[in-house]
Amino acid sequence: MMFYVIIGEDRAGTLDQRMAARPDHVARLQALQAQGKLLLAGPCPAIDSPDPGPAGFIGSIIIAEFASLDAARTWADADPYVAAGVYEKVTVKPFKKVLPA
């Protein structure tokens, strides 16, 4: 098993779709967490604020453990934000956790 970083970049003007798909998106992340595979996950606010309000978000970052790069890509492709048209681009890369040890 290895960690992979999943970077989802939001399409402009999709805050409503993001909020509608969020419960299903979070449920998948909670499932990874319950399996002990989630290192971190969260959105990237569009402005310098933890609560960007109507400015929304520009994407998300997820770092989780998967059996392979293909498995990570398959999981990322099935994200509710992809199905809802929120993510314009999704990048999946191997990630080596060094710190904190």
Side-chain angles (χ1 to χ4, degrees), residues 60-94:
S60 301
I61 296 174
I62 299 163
I63 302 178
E65 214 173 17
F66 293 94
S68 67
L69 181 57
D70 284 341
R73 284 186 179 137
T74 297
W75 188 90
D77 287 346
D79 194 293
Y81 285 170
V82 172
V86 175
Y87 286 159
E88 183 170 41
K89 178 181 177 187
V90 177
T91 304
V92 182
K93 299 177 183 183

